[in-house]
């Protein structure tokens, strides 16, 4: 929660500001895009000039979201993105706990800005250099924190279908369609409020989960065919090579959610998904129960995230990365007991 002095200071900053910018992490997902667009929609209705900047491409199945067509992609529009960040009076950093998560091209611009910086996030250990930090790791998503933040700074009802659809997207995608980190009754009370302003959960689910490109389905088939399971460790993993991704005409977002298949097996409590990229390996981790993949990612892969969902990059070959993973999982005898 914000203190009265924090609310007063922020509202004072609003009176002195004309331009607002929002920036999120590299490889933006549903929560990153949803929280960015929810803020854009709200402050646009308040008369501010506001722009959302993303570091690189977002998945096609999020392009339906209200305001998505106005997002500035720094990978394709770097000069414009840099200008937006430089001219901002207020800069929101959303769904990332540190500036470096925006990628090497944007990181310094976020650090060097003279704007009043506000962090809204739900990842552990917020390290971004911001004047105002609104971070709660117990909620489902950054989108849920955005809703709470707007509730605290607004003196009148602000929810509408547009803002609500963005918030709903973040909650649903960051909980695996309400399959983890979703036991707080407050989350369901919020979902009810979103429905009351016209949010259509069925339509959003179809846009995100029933709107896949052929390339995604073919890549999923390849991944599942290479599923490796360690029953005695309650662990599994899958992987894709760069050549396979190229052959299937991979597009950004095509492999989002694949890691969840590895955790859906009976008796499996920890899984990883490896994708071979240019000079590095992208690794996604998922767990169910008490096994902390955030700690695992930090300890062995210099990554991070949440207790049951984390990610990292590993700078080695795919073969060596998988070999290393197989070695370190044996350092966790608690997995052999079936972490609940």
């Amino acid at each position: 929660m914000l203190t009265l002095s924090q609310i007063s200071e922020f509202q004072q900053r609003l009176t002195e500001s004309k331009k607002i910018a929002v920036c999120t992490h590299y490889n933006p997902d549903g929560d990153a895009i949803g929280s960015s667009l929810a803020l854009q929609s709200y402050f646009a209705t308040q008369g501010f000039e506001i722009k959302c900047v993303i570091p690189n491409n977002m998945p096609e199945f999020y392009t339906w979201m209200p305001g998505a067509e106005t997002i500035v992609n720094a990978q394709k529009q770097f000069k414009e993105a840099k200008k937006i960040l430089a001219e901002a009076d207020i800069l929101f950093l959303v769904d990332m706990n540190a500036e470096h998560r925006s990628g090497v091209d944007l990181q310094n611009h976020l650090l060097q800005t003279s704007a009043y910086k506000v962090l809204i996030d739900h990842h552990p250990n917020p390290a971004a250099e911001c004047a105002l930090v609104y971070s709660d790791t117990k909620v489902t998503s950054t989108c849920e924190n955005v809703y709470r933040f707007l509730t605290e700074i607004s003196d009148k009802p602000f929810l509408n279908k547009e803002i609500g659809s963005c918030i709903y997207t973040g909650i649903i995608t960051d909980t695996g369609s309400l399959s983890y980190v979703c036991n707080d009754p407050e989350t369901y009370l919020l979902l009810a409020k979103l429905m009351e302003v016209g949010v259509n959960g069925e339509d959003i689910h179809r846009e995100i989960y029933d709107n896949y490109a052929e390339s995604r389905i073919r890549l999923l088939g390849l991944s599942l065919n290479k599923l490796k399971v360690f029953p005695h460790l309650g662990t599994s993993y899958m992987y894709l090579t760069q050549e396979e991704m190229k052959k299937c005409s991979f597009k950004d977002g095509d492999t989002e959610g694949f890691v969840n298949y590895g955790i859906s097996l009976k008796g499996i409590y920890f899984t990883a998904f490896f994708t071979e990229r240019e000079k590095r390996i992208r690794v996604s981790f998922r767990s169910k129960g008490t096994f902390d993949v955030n700690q695992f990612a930090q300890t062995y892969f210099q990554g991070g995230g949440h207790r049951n969902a984390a990610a990292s990059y590993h700078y080695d070959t795919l073969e060596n990365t998988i070999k290393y993973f197989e070695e370190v999982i044996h350092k966790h005898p608690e997995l052999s007991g079936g972490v609940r």
Side-chain angles (χ1 to χ4, degrees), residues 96-109:
M96 58 179 177
N97 56 4
E99 288 88 351
H100 70 83
R101 292 204 62 214
S102 65
V104 293
D105 291 335
L106 291 181
Q107 177 181 352
N108 287 337
H109 297 286

Side-chain angles (χ1 to χ4, degrees), residues 49 54 63 65 103 131 165 173 265 301-302 324:
E49 181 180 337
I54 57 175
T63 56
M65 294 178 66
S165 295
T173 56
L265 295 168
F301 289 87
Q302 292 77 53
Y324 173 61

Side-chain angles (χ1 to χ4, degrees), residues 17-310:
S17 304
K18 295 181 180 179
K19 295 183 178 182
I20 300 175
V22 186
C23 188
T24 189
H25 61 77
Y26 199 84
N27 291 333
D29 55 11
D31 194 26
I33 299 164
S35 53
S36 297
L37 291 176
L39 287 171
Q40 176 175 279
S41 182
Y42 171 79
F43 285 106
T45 64
Q46 305 303 305
F48 290 93
E49 181 180 337
I50 178 167
K51 290 283 187 180
C52 294
V53 174
I54 57 175
N56 63 329
N57 296 335
M58 66 177 176
E60 287 184 358
F61 45 85
Y62 293 127
T63 56
W64 63 269
M65 294 178 66
E69 72 282 356
T70 68
I71 290 177
V72 175
N73 181 343
Q75 192 175 58
K76 297 178 178 178
Q77 306 159 280
F78 187 68
K79 287 185 178 179
E80 185 178 353
K82 186 168 65 172
K83 184 173 184 288
I84 290 168
L85 298 177
E87 294 180 353
D89 301 306
I90 295 176
L91 172 60
F92 283 95
L93 304 184
V94 298
D95 203 37
M96 58 179 177
N97 56 4
E99 288 88 351
H100 70 83
R101 292 204 62 214
S102 65
V104 293
D105 291 335
L106 291 181
Q107 177 181 352
N108 287 337
H109 297 286
L110 300 183
L111 288 168
Q112 296 168 6
T113 180
S114 60
Y116 180 83
K117 286 166 64 176
V118 181
L119 174 73
I120 305 181
D121 188 34
H122 73 135
H123 293 89
N125 307 316
E129 299 175 7
C130 293
L132 181 59
V133 174
Y134 197 95
S135 180
D136 184 351
T137 61
K138 297 182 181 65
V139 301
T140 60
S141 56
T142 296
C143 275
E144 190 165 344
N145 273 335
V146 165
Y147 168 79
R148 295 182 180 192
F149 175 83
L150 294 179
T151 299
E152 292 185 39
I153 66 157
S154 181
D155 57 1
K156 63 181 70 172
F158 63 87
L159 261 186
N160 56 33
K161 184 178 180 180
E162 186 172 288
I163 295 173
S165 295
C166 296
I167 292 172
Y168 184 88
T169 298
I171 294 174
I172 293 301
T173 56
D174 247 31
T175 61
S177 294
L178 298 176
S179 64
Y180 50 83
V181 198
C182 56
N183 284 327
D184 188 343
E186 291 296 321
T187 299
Y188 295 89
L189 292 173
L190 172 53
L191 291 173
K193 291 176 183 177
L194 301 182
M195 300 301 162
E196 288 171 358
V197 297
V199 173
N200 190 317
E202 293 178 10
D203 283 350
I204 291 175
H205 189 279
R206 279 192 290 269
E207 290 284 2
I208 297 173
Y209 298 109
D210 299 333
N211 196 21
Y212 295 154
E214 180 183 344
S215 56
R216 178 177 169 88
I217 300 301
R218 294 192 181 280
L219 286 168
L220 177 59
L222 287 172
S223 302
L224 292 172
N225 193 49
K226 292 187 290 188
L227 174 69
K228 184 163 184 179
V229 181
F230 299 82
H232 62 294
L233 287 174
T235 299
S236 68
Y237 72 77
M238 301 187 300
Y239 66 92
L240 284 171
T241 68
Q242 191 172 26
E243 181 61 30
E244 288 169 332
M245 295 166 74
K246 182 179 179 181
K247 187 176 180 180
C248 290
S249 303
F250 169 82
K251 296 185 292 298
D252 290 306
D254 271 353
T255 59
E256 186 172 314
F258 282 15
V259 65
N260 295 321
Y261 287 89
I263 202 69
S264 66
L265 295 168
K266 182 178 180 180
I268 298 300
Y269 299 91
F270 176 44
T271 194
F273 179 61
F274 305 87
T275 52
E276 186 179 30
R277 308 297 175 93
E278 191 69 34
K279 298 181 180 179
R280 59 184 180 176
I281 309 301
R282 166 79 176 178
V283 193
S284 296
F285 302 102
R286 292 292 185 274
S287 70
K288 55 190 177 189
T290 59
F291 189 70
D292 191 336
V293 293
N294 175 53
Q295 189 61 48
F296 183 91
Q298 288 180 0
T299 302
Y300 301 111
F301 289 87
Q302 292 77 53
H306 310 287
R307 186 186 71 180
N308 296 121

